[in-house]
């Protein structure tokens, strides 16, 4: 894991004695390709602009930082940071942060990416219940559409904030779906992952999408990102990243293409472009839909049945690709817009 390089102390309500543990990220560092690759593997970034950085904090310091971010996000639409990066995280705190969320140690909703090897964590604060309801509403609509095809809840599991074990760190999604049929396994990867965040967090959300594809060895077939923009106009930007083949041949060319599509960092782009392409390879398909109050651009959204359920549609049934119409998407995203 790359060392974090905080530069300026963040002005907040943290106690003075803890001020040295709370800082914001400064200017980018110069990284070698090998360093960037290691950082990409571990997923925890050396820089997220505006993120709060805590070093060797107590749970009270992390809780206060989470509360500060939550209050600022919900009182000031110009404030956009959702992230706390924690270094030198003690073993007891690692266990506490990853416990059952019914005993939420931070007292606000969050998602956790945890690197136990380097004792670091990335905490994403969920701005409000409305943001969680966007992904939950989408998931509810998906369940209904599957039911109408004859697909019952026994045929899949909904994983909510379940933690998945990657190559060097653990991560939680906002929501995910895993089709049944495989033997139960703690590392039974979902086929579909949903992530929601503020539009200013797009780069990190794309890094999250890359993590799901690469760390699952491309067992994750689809990732949908919901970017909620609050200013100058309220809107939700949906981005679907879908492996065109439900059972992709995992080639270096596929890995390179996924990296090029999802990672904007120049050094990372240089790395994936140096990988030799393979002639026969599946592609990563990207689709963007913009939902505003009263309008939906670029609908419908189509999810491939085989990618979702990891099997072809059964013949002589109503099984097939799942279609979200403009009306469906408007209803799913309604919680992101203030009541007029």
């Amino acid at each position: 894991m790359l060392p974090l390089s905080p530069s300026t102390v963040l002005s907040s309500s943290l106690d003075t004695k803890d001020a040295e543990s709370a800082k914001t990220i400064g200017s980018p560092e110069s990284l070698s390709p090998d360093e960037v690759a290691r950082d990409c593997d571990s997923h925890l970034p050396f820089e997220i602009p505006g993120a709060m950085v805590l070093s060797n904090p107590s749970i009270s310091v992390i809780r206060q930082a989470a509360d500060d971010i939550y209050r600022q996000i919900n009182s000031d639409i110009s404030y956009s940071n959702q992230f706390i990066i924690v270094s030198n995280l003690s073993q007891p705190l690692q266990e506490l942060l990853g416990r059952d969320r019914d005993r939420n140690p931070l007292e606000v909703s969050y998602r956790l990416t945890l690197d136990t090897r380097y004792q670091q964590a990335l905490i994403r604060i969920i701005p409000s219940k409305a943001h969680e309801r966007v992904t939950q509403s989408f998931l509810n609509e998906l369940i209904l559409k599957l039911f109408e095809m004859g697909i019952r809840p026994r045929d899949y599991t909904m994983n909510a904030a379940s933690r998945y074990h990657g190559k060097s760190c653990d991560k939680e999604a906002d929501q995910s779906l895993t089709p049944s049929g495989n033997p139960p396994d703690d590392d039974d990867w979902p086929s579909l992952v949903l992530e929601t965040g503020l539009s200013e967090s797009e780069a990190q959300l794309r890094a999250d999408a890359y993590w799901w594809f690469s760390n699952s060895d491309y067992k994750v077939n689809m990732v949908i990102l919901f970017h909620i923009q609050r200013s100058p106009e309220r809107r939700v930007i949906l981005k679907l990243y879908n492996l065109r083949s439900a059972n992709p041949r995992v080639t270096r060319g596929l890995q390179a293409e996924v990296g090029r599509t999802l990672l904007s960092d120049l050094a990372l782009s240089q790395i994936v472009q140096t990988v030799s392409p393979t002639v026969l390879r599946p592609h990563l398909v990207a689709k963007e839909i913009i939902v505003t109050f009263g309008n939906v651009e670029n609908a419908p959204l189509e999810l491939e049945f085989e990618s979702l359920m990891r099997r072809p549609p059964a013949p002589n049934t109503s099984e097939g690709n799942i279609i979200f119409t403009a009306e469906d998407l408007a209803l799913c995203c309604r919680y992101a817009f203030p009541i007029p």
Side-chain angles (χ1 to χ4, degrees), residues 16 42 47 56-57 63 72-73 84 102 106 128 133 142 181 222 225 249 271 275 281 296-297:
T16 303
S42 65
E47 177 178 340
N56 192 27
R63 186 181 295 122
Q72 291 188 73
I73 286 178
I84 303 171
D102 290 338
L106 299 189
S128 68
R133 287 170 182 161
L142 174 59
M222 293 183 286
L225 306 180
R249 176 188 171 201
I271 287 175
V275 179
R281 69 177 190 267
V296 179
E297 299 178 16

Side-chain angles (χ1 to χ4, degrees), residues 212-274:
W212 287 108
F213 286 123
S214 62
N215 279 265
S216 70
D217 288 329
Y218 300 86
K219 295 182 180 71
V220 171
N221 290 322
M222 293 183 286
V223 177
I224 302 178
L225 306 180
F226 294 81
H227 305 146
I228 298 178
Q229 180 177 302
R230 303 186 297 173
S231 178
E233 177 189 21
R234 285 262 183 178
R235 61 180 185 169
V236 180
I237 304 170
L238 285 76
K239 293 191 177 180
L240 166 66
Y241 296 98
N242 182 34
L243 296 177
R244 186 166 291 164
S245 170
N247 298 295
R249 176 188 171 201
V250 181
T251 64
R252 297 183 70 183
L254 170 63
Q255 297 169 19
E257 182 173 357
V258 172
R260 279 194 298 269
T261 303
L262 291 170
L263 300 174
S264 60
D265 183 271
L266 177 59
L268 288 171
S269 297
Q270 290 172 344
I271 287 175
V272 296
Q273 287 174 10
T274 61

Side-chain angles (χ1 to χ4, degrees), residues 168-190:
S168 61
C169 63
D170 299 346
K171 183 170 174 55
E172 300 168 347
D174 287 336
Q175 293 287 354
S176 63
L177 180 147
T178 305
S180 303
N182 297 325
D185 190 326
D186 289 341
D187 291 324
D188 190 14
W189 291 90

Side-chain angles (χ1 to χ4, degrees), residues 7 20 78 142 212 227 289 292 299-300:
S7 61
E20 286 303 312
S78 66
L142 174 59
W212 287 108
H227 305 146
I289 294 175
T292 56

Side-chain angles (χ1 to χ4, degrees), residues 194-212:
L194 308 179
E195 298 273 22
T196 304
L198 298 178
S199 58
E200 293 85 353
S201 302
E202 177 182 356
Q204 185 57 35
L205 289 176
R206 284 191 286 109
D208 290 344
Y210 180 81
W211 189 94
W212 287 108

Side-chain angles (χ1 to χ4, degrees), residues 69-329:
I69 291 173
Y70 182 83
R71 285 189 295 103
Q72 291 188 73
I73 286 178
N74 288 291
S75 62
D76 181 2
I77 63 172
S78 66
Y79 185 83
S80 59
N81 172 52
Q82 294 182 253
F83 298 102
I84 303 171
I85 299 176
V86 185
S87 62
N88 301 313
L89 186 65
S90 68
Q91 181 66 32
L93 281 187
Q94 292 178 35
E95 296 175 358
L96 181 62
L97 290 171
R99 283 179 188 168
D100 187 347
R101 291 304 170 75
D102 290 338
R103 303 177 181 178
N104 186 342
L106 299 189
E107 300 176 356
V108 298
S109 295
Y110 67 94
R111 297 292 179 263
L112 178 69
T113 303
L114 179 64
D115 188 331
T116 56
R117 178 181 177 186
Y118 291 97
Q119 298 181 311
Q120 295 193 1
L122 177 64
I123 300 171
R124 175 162 55 92
I125 304 301
I126 307 301
S128 68
K129 291 295 183 182
H131 289 70
E132 292 183 295
R133 287 170 182 161
V134 169
T135 46
Q136 187 59 53
S137 180
F138 182 90
L139 207 59
N140 290 344
E141 186 66 23
L142 174 59
I143 291 171
L144 177 60
K145 291 179 182 296
L146 290 174
F147 187 84
E148 291 172 345
M149 292 182 182
I151 306 297
R152 299 296 184 257
R154 65 176 177 269
D155 298 319
Y156 57 84
T157 58
M158 313 308 303
N159 309 302
S162 298
R163 188 187 304 180
Y164 289 86
H165 306 291
K167 297 172 183 176
S168 61
C169 63
D170 299 346
K171 183 170 174 55
E172 300 168 347
D174 287 336
Q175 293 287 354
S176 63
L177 180 147
T178 305
S180 303
N182 297 325
D185 190 326
D186 289 341
D187 291 324
D188 190 14
W189 291 90
S191 59
L192 170 68
V193 169
L194 308 179
E195 298 273 22
T196 304
L198 298 178
S199 58
E200 293 85 353
S201 302
E202 177 182 356
Q204 185 57 35
L205 289 176
R206 284 191 286 109
D208 290 344
Y210 180 81
W211 189 94
W212 287 108
F213 286 123
S214 62
N215 279 265
S216 70
D217 288 329
Y218 300 86
K219 295 182 180 71
V220 171
N221 290 322
M222 293 183 286
V223 177
I224 302 178
L225 306 180
F226 294 81
H227 305 146
I228 298 178
Q229 180 177 302
R230 303 186 297 173
S231 178
E233 177 189 21
R234 285 262 183 178
R235 61 180 185 169
V236 180
I237 304 170
L238 285 76
K239 293 191 177 180
L240 166 66
Y241 296 98
N242 182 34
L243 296 177
R244 186 166 291 164
S245 170
N247 298 295
R249 176 188 171 201
V250 181
T251 64
R252 297 183 70 183
L254 170 63
Q255 297 169 19
E257 182 173 357
V258 172
R260 279 194 298 269
T261 303
L262 291 170
L263 300 174
S264 60
D265 183 271
L266 177 59
L268 288 171
S269 297
Q270 290 172 344
I271 287 175
V272 296
Q273 287 174 10
T274 61
V275 179
S276 299
T278 303
V279 175
L280 296 176
R281 69 177 190 267
H283 297 282
L284 186 73
V285 179
K287 181 180 179 68
E288 178 177 290
I289 294 175
I290 299 175
V291 182
T292 56
F293 186 76
N295 188 49
V296 179
E297 299 178 16
N298 205 25
L301 177 68
E302 183 172 356
L303 306 183
E304 295 179 353
F305 183 92
E306 187 170 358
S307 292
L308 182 68
M309 300 306 297
R310 291 183 177 144
R311 65 170 178 81
N316 303 316
T317 69
S318 59
E319 294 180 357
N321 289 354
I322 299 93
I323 308 295
F324 285 79
T325 65
E327 182 180 6
D328 293 333
L329 296 171

